[in-house]
Amino acid sequence: MSAIQSGKRLMMEQMASMETSWLHSMMTSSWTCPQLTKDEEKVVEFGISRYRANYSRRYQDTNFVLYQKYTYEDVCRLLNWENNEVPLNIGGYKYDKKTRTFPVFINYDKSDDISDTTKYEDHFLNAGTLIAVSKSGRTKQSEDVQNFLYARERGIDVHLFVRKNKDDRISKEFYYLGKMFASGKAEEFCMPNTTKTAVEIEWILDTPVREDIYQYIIS
């Protein structure tokens, strides 16, 4: 990634986490900075214009925009977690107790060479309903599964992020598809070719996936 691209991306990420009132004031004023070169000012102005076009319409009370793309690091920062978690530590999902946020990351197409204990059969039933599987070694009584099933009652926000597959050369980022909640349907099962149990959960998306994004993911 070039320095200019990095600068553009950093600017958009920083803007996404700013307070609304401050951001409105900044973006409705004539923004200049004598410490920046003309080229740097152009990068900043480009970032502002991109923000207005792509990142100003936040989803509900979050710092995210539906159908925009985010990395693991973006998500940790925009959820206001104290620490950025590496993908290995997230492992598909991770609950942050302080913010009561529970992002779920799904690689929709699974590679054939992954282990049997990670071959989760996550899939959409339709644009508004998702079947997703817990981590292996879980039962309905496991803490993370209980937090999923009773997220609403416990004041937990479950956020869905999906990418077509982890080897996507076009982008290493996930589409943000909004909040979701468990329908109440959950089934414990033994993962094929293993002795590990997992829990299959039916999820209802707060906002059904936009048709073009949905077709891209499932095709």
Side-chain angles (χ1 to χ4, degrees):
M1 181 180 292
S2 68
I4 290 180
Q5 289 174 321
S6 297
K8 291 175 184 176
R9 179 171 178 176
L10 178 59
M11 175 58 65
M12 288 186 285
E13 290 172 351
Q14 290 174 333
M15 286 182 175
S17 63
M18 293 174 182
E19 292 294 333
T20 302
S21 60
W22 184 90
L23 182 61
H24 177 77
S25 175
M26 172 184 173
M27 293 177 61
T28 54
S29 64
S30 179
W31 195 91
T32 59
C33 179
Q35 296 179 337
L36 298 181
T37 66
K38 290 294 184 181
D39 287 342
E40 290 170 335
E41 285 188 10
K42 288 180 180 179
V43 170
V44 172
E45 290 169 0
F46 178 83
I48 291 175
S49 66
R50 284 291 301 274
Y51 175 86
R52 286 172 172 162
N54 298 324
Y55 291 89
S56 60
R57 297 180 180 179
R58 297 185 187 183
Y59 170 78
Q60 296 185 6
D61 57 349
T62 75
N63 287 321
F64 301 109
V65 176
L66 278 177
Y67 314 124
Q68 291 299 321
K69 297 178 182 179
Y70 302 91
T71 64
Y72 288 106
E73 183 179 37
D74 295 335
V75 173
C76 293
R77 180 172 57 255
L78 295 175
L79 287 176
N80 298 312
W81 288 11
E82 290 185 345
N83 301 305
N84 281 328
E85 298 286 349
V86 298
L88 185 63
N89 289 343
I90 293 175
Y93 57 76
K94 188 174 180 64
Y95 176 56
D96 183 73
K97 291 183 179 179
K98 185 173 182 179
T99 61
R100 305 184 78 80
T101 54
F102 210 158
V104 175
F105 299 88
I106 291 178
N107 294 307
Y108 200 79
D109 293 339
K110 304 296 190 295
S111 173
D112 292 332
D113 60 358
I114 62 176
S115 67
D116 288 325
T117 56
T118 56
K119 287 183 178 177
Y120 306 123
E121 296 297 327
D122 305 317
H123 60 282
F124 283 104
L125 295 180
N126 53 58
T129 309
L130 173 74
I131 300 296
V133 179
S134 72
K135 295 177 181 179
S136 64
R138 301 299 197 272
T139 69
K140 286 185 180 180
Q141 301 308 313
S142 297
E143 183 178 2
D144 55 352
V145 175
Q146 287 287 297
N147 279 337
F148 277 146
L149 297 178
Y150 299 102
R152 279 184 161 179
E153 293 84 346
R154 298 179 179 185
I156 298 170
D157 287 334
V158 182
H159 297 271
L160 177 61
F161 298 85
V162 178
R163 64 183 173 189
K164 194 169 180 65
N165 60 66
K166 64 185 292 187
D167 299 318
D168 189 343
R169 293 181 180 274
I170 297 175
S171 174
K172 295 296 184 182
E173 301 162 314
F174 294 79
Y175 284 104
Y176 177 57
L177 302 184
K179 295 179 184 179
M180 62 181 184
F181 59 91
S183 70
K185 295 180 180 180
E187 181 179 349
E188 190 175 314
F189 68 100
C190 186
M191 301 191 75
N193 304 316
T194 77
T195 58
K196 297 286 188 179
T197 59
V199 181
E200 184 179 82
I201 302 172
E202 181 182 81
W203 295 94
I204 305 300
L205 277 64
D206 181 71
T207 302
V209 184
R210 199 175 73 197
E211 182 64 17
D212 59 328
I213 302 294
Y214 178 68
Q215 291 300 328
Y216 167 72
I217 292 171
I218 68 172
S219 63

